[in-house]
Amino acid sequence: MNKVKLPPEEIFYDMADFFKVFGDASRIKILYSLYIREMNVGELVSLLDMNQSAVSHQLRILRQSDLVKFRKDGKAVIYSLDDSHVFSVLEQGLKHIAHKNGL
């Protein structure tokens, strides 16, 4: 029997932390919104019917996890997905759930 070569242990811990961020529906809604287009906090607040402090808190977690990035446009702060990998994770999750639910 061939021995399976696993990545280093810390990779599994980092992956678990990465996927924990996806364990909150508010963060998923923010990520999905930013999957559609980049937005500022006010747009996210209106779209998601959340209060500003809740959106800001979730964006801080998403930034710290390198899932979301921001840029300044004058006084406005515009948020977007950090890279195509975040897009891929969302897309695969959506496909999985849609398939599971027969959509």
Side-chain angles (χ1 to χ4, degrees), residues 1 14 16 18 24 30 32 41 48 58 68 70 80 86-87 94-95 97 103:
M1 190 161 130
D14 290 345
F18 173 77
D24 181 273
I30 291 169
Y32 187 78
V41 173
L48 303 175
Q58 298 302 345
V68 166
F70 69 94
S80 61
V86 179
F87 169 84
L94 286 168
K95 285 180 182 178
I97 297 302
L103 303 175

Side-chain angles (χ1 to χ4, degrees), residues 28-76:
I28 295 290
K29 286 194 249 183
I30 291 169
L31 288 170
Y32 187 78
S33 300
L34 297 176
Y35 163 81
I36 296 168
R37 70 175 178 85
E38 59 182 24
M39 295 184 200
N40 64 37
V41 173
E43 291 172 308
L44 288 165
V45 165
S46 294
L47 177 67
L48 303 175
D49 194 29
M50 295 170 61
N51 67 51
Q52 191 266 332
S53 64
V55 170
S56 295
H57 173 72
Q58 298 302 345
L59 283 168
R60 184 171 41 260
I61 291 169
L62 293 168
R63 279 193 328 264
Q64 290 170 344
S65 300
D66 295 322
L67 297 175
V68 166
K69 62 184 176 183
F70 69 94
R71 66 179 172 80
K72 295 219 176 196
D73 184 14
K75 290 185 178 183

